Amino acid sequence: MTTDTTTPQEATEGPPPRMSTPPSPKRRSWTGLWFVLPFTAVYALFLVWPTVLGLYYSFTDKSLTGRPVSWVGWENWAETFGDERAWDALWNTAVFTLYSTPPLVILAIVFALLVNRARKMGWFLRMAFFAPFVIPVSVVTMIWIWMYQPDGGLINHYLQMLGVQSAETPTLWLQDEGRAMWSVVITTVWWTIGFNFLLFLAALQTIPKDVYEASAIDGANSWQQLWRITLPLLKRTTALVIVLQLIASLRIFDQMYLMTGGGPNRTTEVAIHYIYIAGFEGYRIGYASALSYVLFVLILIVSIVQFRLFSRKED
Amino acid sequence: MTALQQKPRSTAPDERRVVERRRKKVSAGTALVYVSAFALALLWLVPLLWALSTSLKTETEASLGQDIHWIPENWSLEGYRVLFERGDHLNWMINSTIVSTIVTVLTLVLCVLAAYGFSRFDFPGKKVVFAAIIAGLMVPPQALIIPLFDIVTAMNLADTYWGLALPQVVAPVMVFILKRFFDAVPRDYEEAAKLDGAGHLRVLWSVIVPLSGPIMAAVGIFTFIGSWNNFLWPLLIATDPSMMTLPVGLGVVAGGYGLFYAQNMAAAVLGALPLLIVFLIFQKQIVKGVAGVGLK
């Protein structure tokens, strides 16, 4: 092999060697394959294969009942685009995204700004805001269903105490078509804001102090510092949070399934929920696969946007 | 911010006074920051504290229609006692522990091996395989549930720990994170070990792994939390109540406890406890790990 030795000339002319050791950092051999193989095997079986299989199923009439499968061509796909319930589910997903993203971004920034300045309570505040994030979804929904109880629930109790609500007509939270989605959104904000909050807090803590000191000498007050320095410097993190939020929202399912079961009158039935219903309650694996692929493509588009947005800025 | 409305006393202050006054402004503003932060934190803790309070009441005291009070009049562990007599909660907790442990250990072993292979070796087809794994970053597991269910059922793994765990092991993002870390580890250490006659696995185990403590802790903790809280996959694949994980058991079976709110909230408190403890122990690593997502 000729690559074993590096002459001084090569060392100065070629790209600078990354590591200081001259002898053979990488030799082409099969050894590396053995390291990669176990993961790749599991990956192929549980990610690549289902992706392929799902595409195949979407062109068949495969059923959960196990009757023989036959090829149906584009039939499932055509049905998808004419299926009003599928469009409604997609619409509900969009509504959830639209309702939940602004508070999940803005409140997270507010929390991060507060915690960044209230350093002495840092530990307690971080715990309070982030703790809900590690709690299993079903625990979250159990607690909130209990608090949302129209008669005697905690929330209505306090609203009545404040005089916002009369005891004779208690607010229906999860049972009202207009309010159910909002109720799920409030629960979701409470549950997941901790993650965004930590992202913003980390970004805030990388802003060097002298930026503020310099602007203070120039006569900027705190308000101006917030709008002219802090928030512009959070732009990149905000973009990241919004994209992560979009992807997470497209995959939403757990909270609706547990809190409203998609009701009332399907106003909280989201995309994954309808796929679940078509596949596991309607037994139509083929059709559910086509639905999955539509969602898959949507998420893929958002992910590609994310990839583009953030890999370019890294350089 | 009330502090900002103070008017300057002299029209031509010298520098030192400006600084002094600014310091005062900060301290008044800071008080406001502390008060509002504390109030928001309390508000954020209300649901958890209310669950805890309810769980410590008797069923009659907790039931709807009773007036709302935070401190139980008759302290009672009745809810917890009934829960343990039923036994299924403990069973789900054990299932969750087993499944999450399998997922975490396998993820760490497979991803460390793969990341090391991609970082240190050159082999035929490497670029293609790596590209395929990176592409997996964009595949949402939720959109694969239908064919995945079919595959796992065909393998006769429905209602088994392996069926619950294995599909969760596929985590391209962990390979990516670990590879990036390994890439930055200087090779000198390994060369020294190799000169001493150590094989590749030995080098990985005794040189690289000890150097990667924090990053492996982060990967491990996040995998564990993610797996413990996974809902959709266990919901599909574990239909036998005795094989359910905690989130599924609580969501599907315990939802049927109906009107027994003390018992219900006792289950919620016990369901929240394991990961809250994990979080309190590993708070530093978790905070750093989340920060890493944004500061890449």
Side-chain angles (χ1 to χ4, degrees):
Chain A
M1 298 255 162
T2 48
T3 50
D4 279 1
T5 50
T6 324
T7 64
Q9 203 191 356
E10 277 176 285
T12 47
E13 276 181 9
R18 281 180 72 201
M19 305 305 160
S20 54
T21 43
S24 67
K26 281 186 185 180
R27 224 177 291 140
R28 216 173 153 78
S29 76
W30 292 96
T31 322
L33 196 63
W34 293 111
F35 282 88
V36 174
L37 199 62
F39 179 86
T40 311
V42 176
Y43 180 81
L45 184 58
F46 293 114
L47 199 130
V48 180
W49 181 231
T51 312
V52 176
L53 201 62
L55 188 61
Y56 164 69
Y57 284 166
S58 73
F59 292 101
T60 69
D61 67 346
K62 186 173 170 64
S63 153
L64 203 62
T65 56
R67 64 172 158 72
V69 179
S70 56
W71 185 266
V72 295
W74 290 97
E75 213 173 87
N76 286 328
W77 290 82
E79 190 184 337
T80 305
F81 290 103
D83 185 346
E84 220 166 279
R85 194 168 171 186
W87 286 109
D88 284 347
L90 214 52
W91 172 246
N92 291 336
T93 312
V95 168
F96 173 82
T97 313
L98 219 63
Y99 288 177
S100 65
T101 307
L104 277 170
V105 173
I106 296 167
L107 263 184
I109 293 180
V110 172
F111 286 6
L113 286 170
L114 286 174
V115 175
N116 194 39
R117 288 194 59 186
R119 291 281 172 93
K120 280 175 195 142
M121 288 197 304
W123 183 86
F124 167 71
L125 296 174
R126 271 207 314 256
M127 194 231 15
F129 293 143
F130 188 74
F133 187 78
V134 300
I135 296 174
V137 62
S138 28
V139 171
V140 171
T141 55
M142 279 167 97
I143 296 175
W144 279 86
I145 290 172
W146 169 220
M147 293 202 308
Y148 276 138
Q149 288 293 345
D151 282 307
L154 190 70
I155 293 174
N156 277 359
H157 170 77
Y158 282 120
L159 288 179
Q160 284 165 15
M161 244 175 68
L162 289 171
V164 185
Q165 185 191 105
S166 79
E168 285 83 50
T169 54
T171 309
L172 298 172
W173 293 99
L174 296 166
Q175 298 80 5
D176 179 272
E177 282 184 30
R179 234 173 266 120
M181 187 62 93
W182 275 113
S183 309
V184 176
V185 165
I186 292 171
T187 303
T188 307
V189 170
W190 178 79
W191 181 35
T192 61
I193 200 168
F195 191 83
N196 296 351
F197 151 73
L198 280 187
L199 280 178
F200 282 118
L201 187 62
L204 280 179
Q205 288 172 349
T206 59
I207 301 176
K209 274 229 168 77
D210 30 329
V211 181
Y212 293 104
E213 280 160 19
S215 71
I217 288 169
D218 290 342
N221 61 34
S222 315
W223 191 246
Q224 287 168 327
Q225 284 179 338
L226 175 67
W227 285 97
R228 302 267 169 81
I229 302 174
T230 314
L231 292 181
L233 283 174
L234 288 181
K235 240 185 215 163
R236 195 178 123 75
T237 310
T238 310
L240 175 74
V241 167
I242 290 175
V243 177
L244 289 178
Q245 212 58 63
L246 283 182
I247 297 174
S249 299
L250 283 171
R251 306 166 169 191
I252 203 77
F253 165 76
D254 304 359
Q255 298 97 300
M256 283 81 172
Y257 179 81
L258 288 164
M259 292 182 88
T260 61
N265 199 15
R266 291 185 195 158
T267 43
T268 57
E269 187 175 288
V270 286
I272 298 270
H273 198 163
Y274 184 47
I275 293 171
Y276 174 90
I277 290 170
F280 295 100
E281 286 170 16
Y283 296 150
R284 299 181 63 196
I285 295 292
Y287 184 57
S289 296
L291 288 171
S292 300
Y293 250 84
V294 175
L295 183 67
F296 188 169
V297 170
L298 284 177
I299 295 178
L300 206 62
I301 292 170
V302 181
S303 300
I304 289 170
V305 170
Q306 175 203 15
F307 233 61
R308 288 241 154 154
L309 219 62
F310 293 98
S311 53
R312 200 179 294 162
K313 278 185 183 167
E314 247 172 58
D315 306 320
Chain B
M1 309 236 165
T2 48
L4 298 177
Q5 287 157 9
Q6 288 176 356
K7 287 216 172 106
R9 272 175 207 147
S10 68
T11 39
D14 65 58
E15 286 249 321
R16 193 176 297 161
R17 269 217 211 129
V18 173
V19 173
E20 247 167 46
R21 207 173 40 243
R22 203 149 265 136
R23 212 166 271 159
K24 252 187 205 163
K25 276 183 188 174
V26 167
S27 66
T30 307
L32 192 73
V33 165
Y34 271 89
V35 171
S36 39
F38 188 73
L40 272 172
L42 272 190
L43 182 70
W44 231 247
L45 288 175
V46 159
L48 290 178
L49 295 176
W50 182 236
L52 184 65
S53 158
T54 307
S55 75
L56 294 170
K57 294 172 181 171
T58 60
E59 283 301 346
T60 18
E61 201 184 333
S63 63
L64 291 172
Q66 297 296 308
D67 57 317
I68 302 263
H69 52 277
W70 284 80
I71 309 293
E73 279 157 9
N74 303 300
W75 294 81
S76 154
L77 291 174
E78 188 189 319
Y80 293 91
R81 191 181 52 80
V82 177
L83 209 61
F84 276 104
E85 268 172 17
R86 295 175 45 104
D88 46 5
H89 188 100
L90 195 68
N91 185 30
W92 297 328
M93 201 121 96
I94 293 168
N95 289 343
S96 274
T97 310
I98 293 173
V99 171
S100 303
T101 307
I102 296 178
V103 172
T104 308
V105 171
L106 271 183
T107 301
L108 274 176
V109 171
L110 296 187
C111 292
V112 163
L113 282 175
Y116 187 69
F118 283 123
S119 170
R120 289 299 194 269
F121 297 96
D122 202 4
F123 51 89
K126 173 178 163 178
K127 276 193 183 148
V128 180
V129 178
F130 190 64
I133 288 176
I134 290 302
L137 287 173
M138 291 186 272
V139 177
Q142 289 89 341
L144 296 181
I145 49 168
I146 302 281
L148 203 55
F149 177 81
D150 198 53
I151 292 168
V152 172
T153 316
M155 291 167 78
N156 267 329
L157 291 178
D159 279 320
T160 67
Y161 290 132
W162 290 107
L164 283 160
L166 279 176
Q168 298 187 54
V169 172
V170 181
V173 66
M174 300 306 182
V175 176
F176 190 63
I177 289 171
L178 286 166
K179 178 188 178 289
R180 197 139 69 173
F181 181 85
F182 291 163
D183 282 346
V185 174
R187 278 150 217 240
D188 307 20
Y189 304 112
E190 292 158 75
E191 296 300 336
K194 270 183 202 158
L195 287 180
D196 290 344
H200 292 300
L201 270 179
R202 171 120 210 121
V203 169
L204 175 60
W205 178 248
S206 57
V207 180
I208 302 291
V209 168
L211 284 172
S212 325
I215 190 97
M216 286 183 47
V219 168
I221 294 163
F222 276 93
T223 307
F224 192 87
I225 294 178
S227 167
W228 185 282
N229 286 346
N230 196 344
F231 181 75
L232 180 54
W233 180 245
L235 173 72
L236 297 178
I237 209 69
T239 45
D240 174 358
S242 73
M243 281 308 292
M244 284 176 180
T245 59
L246 189 64
V248 176
L250 285 181
V252 177
V253 180
Y257 295 167
L259 298 172
F260 300 109
Y261 288 106
Q263 189 188 334
N264 225 329
M265 290 301 108
V269 169
L270 284 184
L273 216 52
L275 280 200
L276 280 180
I277 293 170
V278 168
F279 169 58
L280 288 178
I281 295 174
F282 295 107
Q283 195 183 169
K284 236 183 206 162
Q285 285 90 335
I286 290 174
V287 169
K288 262 194 205 156
V290 176
V293 175
L295 304 177
K296 271 193 263 198

